[in-house]
């Protein structure tokens, strides 16, 4: 609770010398703060607000002067906060102790309180609908320091309660409270241009920018913080999106160092595909991990940004997705039971399921729980699966917080978010998954075949998940979801997938391949093959925008997802389950056509393939390389892709595997692997688990 203010106030004229003394001795902020400042209430309380989640704390409830302060701005030139005091009808200055000192500005209308303001280039700008736009010089070395200059002819039709300067283009921006119009204001003459409508109205008493050019506005009545994308004002959508919950107040003003980035610290993000809102850039679901507040289950961990599927936000040692469990599955037209575990304290549960598979929770019936208050403990809740739900894999999202009204996207000041993959089944249908409906297998390739490998097993690392759909006892569809997780190769490699024993002619017309950047005709099915073969990419290096050579195998080249893909394969006619090859089928790499490769006289091209041990190649292989150099293949004995000392060129794991860093030998990174081979897989079967690794040799 805010303590009562019992300071004894002296008349302004009697305290003038003391105020000037405080002004001279005030200490500036040490740097460009990343938090936003809100000045609220009639007797000012200053809040520090984390824009990422809306979490806030009281910085002070006593700024040394009575009454409220508005038109607050942060001056990057001297690192002080400035605002307009209602008590003195004058500009005040505040340092890191938040104690206000009066500037004694001249040239302002007498007895008028200004509510709108910001600071730019050592100038305090303020606006009043009845009195116009003013600029006040804050440079103490200037002859006109603390003198106000009115911008003659300025537009005074705007209904504003704050505005803010863009950190890059230096223009002034504001949202009209009544119309919701977004204005760009020309400070040279006070004219304004309407850039579009934000779609929100209300009293927006606080507005501020961050480094990249996003504009944030805080609405007094409910504390809602909205974000407007002004990173490129020449090409913008003016729509304001809800971003986070913040403190509400009838009196509200805000400021921020516009050049500071918005940084997520101690924040829990989701890990669904980004179309659902996962990364900060997409206004992903996120919660401040406050020391108090509700939790889903007993575990939660923090991330600096959302990691969209198939990347996971789980730590290597444990999964924090422990609060939600589906008991009887999801089937069209029936009721599903879900077990919800609430830890630490009670809160409001929100639940979302993408019934139509659109890639967003955009339908009214896709919010399955709304403000369901749950106390600490275990709860069994029911979900009605609609008759029009699309059978197949569905994305779900569950959020718990102390606040009600939390949406599928945006920040919350406490709580947790969990994203889960589930399956909706229709009549006569079922699905099977490898390795599971919510996890991925890892395939790791060494690409120096058939020559001596460096055996760091990270030249190509791909995460894959397979879902087979059965209808009336036949496999009618196969969905392959994947992502390129590493490319430690200097060579150019393509990526393909073969379905051994499935004729190319059995692939139906409904098949499709979608990658991060494009949709590929005919699902990338390769011509000239007896078996069904699909080409995901002819050159994985072309899919990576990072300029460094070794993607995600060396420090400093660890950007997030570069290539994700979904391969939807339809079978016509359906395939009997016993005739389907075993997952992960036959993922393979091949030499990119037209690209040179060390140690070859010519360009090997598509004919050079690398498969898992003892998997035969496709029809398009060039057989001349078998048995040469370090390759011990013997096609006559069905022995393929083994080194002369019996090491495979490809490894497959039924979990997300931590691979060695660049030029770190697998046998050193995972010392038990050699023993595993020595006993022909009869012992040391968990050699590939992280606890058995030399973790200092793994890519982090």
């Amino acid at each position: 609770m805010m303590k009562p203010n019992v300071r004894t106030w002296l008349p302004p004229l009697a305290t003038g010398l003391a105020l000037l003394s405080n002004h001279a001795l005030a200490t500036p902020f040490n740097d460009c703060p990343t938090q936003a400042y809100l000045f609220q209430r009639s007797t000012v309380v200053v809040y520090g607000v984390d824009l990422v989640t809306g979490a806030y704390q009281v910085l002070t409830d006593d700024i040394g002067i009575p009454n409220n302060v508005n038109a607050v701005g942060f001056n990057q030139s001297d690192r002080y906060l400035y605002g307009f005091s209602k008590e003195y009808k004058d500009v005040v200055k505040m340092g890191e102790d938040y104690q206000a000192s009066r500037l004694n500005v001249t040239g302002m209308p007498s007895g008028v309180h200004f509510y709108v303001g910001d600071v730019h280039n050592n100038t305090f700008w303020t606006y009043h609908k009845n009195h116009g736009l003013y600029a006040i010089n804050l440079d103490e070395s200037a002859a006109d320091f603390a003198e106000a200059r009115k911008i003659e002819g300025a537009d005074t039709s705007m209904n504003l309660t704050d505005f803010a300067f863009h950190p890059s283009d230096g223009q002034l921006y504001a949202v009209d409270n009544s119309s919701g119009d977004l204005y760009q204001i020309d400070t040279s003459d006070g004219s304004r241009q309407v850039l579009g409508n934000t779609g929100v109205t209300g009293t927006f008493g606080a507005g501020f920018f961050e480094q990249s050019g996003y504009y944030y506005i805080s609405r007094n009545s409910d504390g809602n913080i909205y974000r407007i994308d002004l990173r490129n004002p020449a090409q913008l959508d003016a729509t304001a999106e809800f971003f986070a919950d913040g403190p509400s107040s009838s009196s509200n003003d805000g400021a921020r160092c516009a050049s500071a980035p918005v940084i997520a610290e101690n924040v829990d993000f989701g890990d669904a595909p980004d179309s659902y809102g996962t990364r900060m850039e997409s206004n992903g679901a996120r919660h401040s991990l406050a020391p108090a507040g509700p939790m889903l289950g007993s575990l939660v961990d923090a991330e600096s940004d959302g990691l969209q599927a198939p990347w996971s936000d789980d730590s290597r040692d444990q999964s924090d997705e422990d609060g939600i469990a589906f008991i009887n599955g999801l089937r069209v037209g029936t009721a599903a039971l879900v077990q919800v575990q609430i830890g630490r304290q009670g809160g409001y549960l929100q639940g979302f399921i993408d019934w139509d598979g659109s890639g967003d929770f955009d339908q009214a019936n896709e919010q399955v729980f709304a403000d369901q208050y749950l106390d600490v403990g275990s709860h069994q809740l029911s979900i009605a699966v609609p008759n029009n739900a699309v059978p197949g894999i569905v994305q779900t999202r569950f959020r718990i917080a102390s606040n009600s009204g939390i949406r599928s996207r945006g920040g919350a000041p406490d709580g947790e978010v969990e994203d889960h993959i589930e399956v909706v089944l229709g009549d006569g249908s079922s699905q099977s998954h490898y390795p599971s409906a919510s996890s991925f297998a890892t395939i790791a390739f060494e690409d120096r075949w058939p020559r001596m490998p460096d055996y760091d097993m990270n030249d190509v690392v791909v995460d894959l998940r397979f879902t087979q759909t059965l209808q009336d006892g036949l496999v009618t569809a196969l969905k392959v979801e994947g992502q390129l997780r590493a490319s430690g190769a200097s060579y150019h490699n393509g990526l393909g997938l073969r379905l051994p024993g499935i004729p190319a002619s059995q692939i139906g017309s409904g098949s499709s391949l979608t990658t991060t950047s494009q949709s590929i005709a005919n699902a990338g099915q390769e011509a000239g093959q007896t078996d069904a073969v699909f080409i995901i990419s002819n050159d994985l290096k072309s899919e990576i925008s990072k300029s460094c050579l070794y993607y995600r195998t060396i420090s400093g080249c660890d950007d997030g997802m570069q290539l994700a893909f979904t391969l939807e394969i339809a079978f016509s006619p359906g395939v009997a389950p016993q005739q389907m090859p075993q997952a992960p089928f036959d993922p393979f790499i091949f030499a990119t056509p037209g690209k040179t490769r060390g140690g070859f006289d010519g360009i090997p091209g598509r004919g050079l393939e690398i498969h898992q041990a003892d998997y035969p190649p496709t029809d398009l292989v060039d057989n001349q390389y078998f048995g040469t150099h370090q390759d011990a293949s013997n096609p006559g004995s069905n022995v393929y892709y083994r080194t002369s000392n019996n090491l495979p060129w490809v490894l497959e794991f039924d979990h997300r595997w931590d691979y060695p860093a660049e030029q770190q030998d697998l046998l050193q990174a995972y010392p038990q692997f050699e023993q595993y081979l020595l006993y022909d897989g009869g012992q040391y079967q968990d050699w590939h688990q992280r606890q058995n690794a030399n973790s200092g040799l793994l890519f982090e």
Side-chain angles (χ1 to χ4, degrees):
M1 177 178 295
M2 186 177 69
K3 64 182 180 182
N5 194 322
V6 295
R7 181 183 293 269
T8 299
W9 302 107
L10 297 175
L13 292 178
T15 60
L17 292 177
L19 289 170
L20 288 174
S21 175
N22 289 340
H23 165 64
L25 296 175
T27 303
F29 290 88
N30 287 329
D31 51 19
C32 188
T34 60
Q35 67 183 332
Y37 298 98
L38 288 183
F39 285 65
Q40 294 191 339
R41 306 187 186 183
S42 57
T43 301
V44 172
V45 177
V46 182
Y47 294 95
V49 181
D50 175 12
L51 286 179
V52 175
T53 62
Y56 57 90
Q57 60 179 332
V58 174
L59 300 176
T60 185
D61 60 3
D62 183 355
I63 64 171
I65 62 173
N67 225 316
N68 61 350
V69 172
N70 294 100
V72 183
F74 184 86
N75 187 10
Q76 296 185 56
S77 299
D78 63 8
R79 302 195 310 280
Y80 283 94
L81 286 164
Y82 291 84
F84 204 91
S85 164
K86 186 174 183 179
E87 179 73 13
Y88 302 127
K89 309 300 188 293
D90 194 3
V91 177
V92 294
K93 175 180 181 178
M94 291 158 282
E96 63 178 5
D97 61 358
Y98 304 106
Q99 295 301 292
S101 58
R102 183 176 180 179
L103 261 62
N104 293 313
V105 172
T106 60
M108 295 291 289
S110 176
V112 177
H113 181 46
F114 281 72
Y115 295 89
V116 182
D118 196 17
V119 179
H120 183 63
N121 286 345
N122 234 2
T123 302
F124 182 88
W125 291 83
T126 188
Y127 168 85
H128 194 292
K129 188 173 183 179
N130 297 327
H131 297 277
L133 180 67
Y134 288 81
I136 302 166
N137 194 338
L138 300 178
D139 183 356
E140 295 184 15
S141 66
D144 61 346
F145 168 64
E147 292 182 7
R149 174 174 57 91
K150 185 176 182 179
I151 309 303
E152 298 297 339
D155 189 327
T156 57
S157 66
M158 299 176 289
N159 185 15
L160 309 180
T161 40
D162 205 11
F163 54 32
F165 281 94
H166 194 290
S168 299
D169 70 14
Q171 297 296 309
L172 191 57
Y173 294 87
V175 173
D176 191 291
N177 295 334
S178 300
S179 66
D181 285 341
L182 173 65
Y183 297 137
Q184 183 184 69
I185 302 169
D186 187 340
T187 55
S188 67
D189 60 7
S191 62
R192 51 91 169 172
Q193 176 185 358
V194 177
L195 301 181
N197 192 273
T198 62
V200 293
T201 56
T203 302
F204 297 105
F208 20 71
F209 276 93
E210 56 107 335
Q211 185 181 65
S212 69
Y214 278 114
Y215 181 35
Y216 300 85
I217 54 175
S218 172
R219 187 161 60 189
N220 294 16
S221 59
D222 51 18
N224 283 357
I225 299 172
Y226 295 89
R227 184 176 75 170
I228 304 169
D229 189 353
L230 282 172
R231 290 172 298 173
N232 183 3
Q235 297 177 340
L236 65 85
D237 177 357
T239 303
E241 60 176 341
F242 172 82
F243 194 71
D245 281 314
S248 60
S249 175
S250 59
S251 175
N252 183 30
D253 206 284
R256 188 176 186 277
C257 180
S259 293
V262 170
I263 301 174
E265 294 181 342
N266 201 33
V267 175
D268 176 52
F269 285 84
D271 55 9
D274 201 34
S275 63
Y276 295 96
T278 297
R279 293 178 59 81
M280 176 76 75
E281 179 68 26
S282 303
N283 192 20
R286 58 203 183 275
H287 295 253
S288 174
L289 296 184
M295 298 168 57
L296 291 170
S298 60
L299 299 173
V300 65
D301 53 27
E303 300 85 41
S304 60
D305 201 351
L307 295 172
Q308 61 176 312
W311 296 48
S312 171
D313 66 357
D314 294 330
S315 69
R316 288 186 170 89
D317 300 321
Q318 65 185 19
S319 169
D320 68 343
E321 314 295 318
D322 63 338
I324 301 292
F326 284 82
I327 298 173
N328 62 342
L330 301 171
R331 186 174 287 277
V332 172
T334 65
L337 296 178
V338 61
Q339 195 81 20
V340 182
Q341 189 73 31
I342 304 298
R344 195 157 61 186
Q345 73 179 52
Y348 292 94
L349 177 72
Q350 320 293 334
F352 307 88
I353 300 180
D354 184 15
W355 295 125
D356 62 0
S358 66
D360 197 1
F361 305 113
D362 54 357
Q363 301 299 317
N365 71 341
E366 292 183 339
Q367 182 162 9
V368 296
F369 299 128
D371 292 338
Q372 178 94 44
Y373 188 85
L374 300 176
D375 288 314
V376 172
S378 183
H379 307 268
Q380 193 172 105
L381 305 179
S382 177
I383 296 174
V385 183
N387 291 323
N388 63 349
V390 177
I393 289 179
V394 293
Q395 182 67 52
T396 74
R397 169 166 288 166
F398 297 89
R399 305 184 68 178
I400 191 76
S402 297
N403 291 0
S404 61
I406 301 299
R407 313 175 192 199
S408 65
R409 297 173 183 244
D414 64 11
E416 183 182 0
V417 54
E418 289 190 8
D419 291 338
H420 294 261
I421 292 290
E422 297 298 328
V423 177
V424 174
L425 299 176
D427 291 339
S429 67
S430 63
Q431 288 189 319
S432 62
H433 310 276
Y434 178 82
S436 75
S438 59
S439 61
F440 286 78
T442 294
I443 317 293
F445 296 85
E446 172 60 48
D447 75 346
R448 294 193 178 186
W449 184 87
R451 286 169 170 75
M452 177 66 73
D454 58 5
Y455 220 60
D456 51 12
M457 205 51 77
N458 63 21
D459 295 330
V460 174
V461 181
V462 181
D463 289 339
L464 295 170
R465 176 168 63 207
F466 302 87
T467 300
Q468 296 186 64
T469 299
L470 288 84
Q471 183 68 42
D472 300 327
L474 295 177
V475 179
T476 57
L478 172 66
K479 183 177 184 178
V480 184
E481 299 168 277
Q483 178 169 304
L484 176 66
R485 194 154 133 238
S487 177
S490 56
Y491 298 154
H492 289 256
N493 297 297
L495 175 65
L497 176 71
R498 181 181 61 165
L499 305 183
I502 302 298
S505 59
Q506 201 163 352
I507 304 305
S509 59
S511 302
S512 64
L513 171 62
T514 303
T515 74
T516 307
S517 59
Q518 61 181 324
S519 296
I520 299 173
N522 302 318
Q525 186 172 3
E526 192 171 39
Q529 300 277 18
T530 303
D531 288 341
V533 176
F534 303 88
I535 302 301
I536 309 299
S537 174
N538 279 298
D539 185 1
L540 294 173
K541 281 196 173 297
S542 70
E543 313 283 355
I544 302 169
S545 61
K546 192 78 174 181
S547 59
C548 54
L549 183 61
Y550 302 112
Y551 168 62
R552 292 189 56 80
T553 65
I554 61 173
S555 177
C557 191
D558 56 356
D559 277 11
M561 182 270 296
Q562 299 279 301
L563 171 64
F565 57 89
T566 301
L567 175 61
E568 301 266 12
I569 302 171
F571 299 108
S572 180
V575 181
Q578 61 271 23
Q579 295 177 336
M580 281 293 293
Q582 184 175 355
F585 310 104
D586 181 19
F588 65 96
I589 62 174
F590 56 90
T592 297
K595 297 292 184 179
T596 58
R597 209 171 183 90
F600 291 87
D601 293 334
I603 297 176
R606 175 64 184 82
L608 190 150
E609 299 180 354
I610 305 173
H611 295 251
Q612 297 176 74
D614 299 333
Y615 274 67
T618 77
D619 294 343
L620 300 186
V621 76
D622 187 337
N623 290 299
Q624 67 171 308
Y625 304 117
F626 289 124
T628 63
H629 303 285
Q630 295 300 313
D631 178 58
S633 297
N634 184 351
S637 301
N638 292 321
V639 175
Y640 293 96
Y641 300 106
R642 293 182 180 272
T643 68
S644 55
N645 54 352
N646 205 37
L647 294 175
W649 297 83
V650 182
L651 293 174
E652 181 266 325
F653 307 92
D654 63 357
H655 60 90
R656 189 175 183 270
W657 182 58
D658 294 313
Y659 52 87
E662 190 63 34
Q663 297 184 350
Q664 299 298 333
D665 193 316
L666 175 72
L667 301 178
Q668 301 297 318
Y670 286 93
Q672 293 182 0
F673 179 55
E674 192 169 6
Q675 295 296 313
Y676 170 81
L677 293 174
L678 180 64
Y679 287 97
D680 199 24
Q683 295 187 33
Y684 301 98
Q685 295 184 5
D686 62 349
W687 68 266
H688 48 81
Q689 298 295 335
R690 187 178 177 87
Q691 64 265 24
N692 296 320
N694 183 344
S695 59
L697 302 181
L698 304 181
F699 175 74
E700 299 290 349

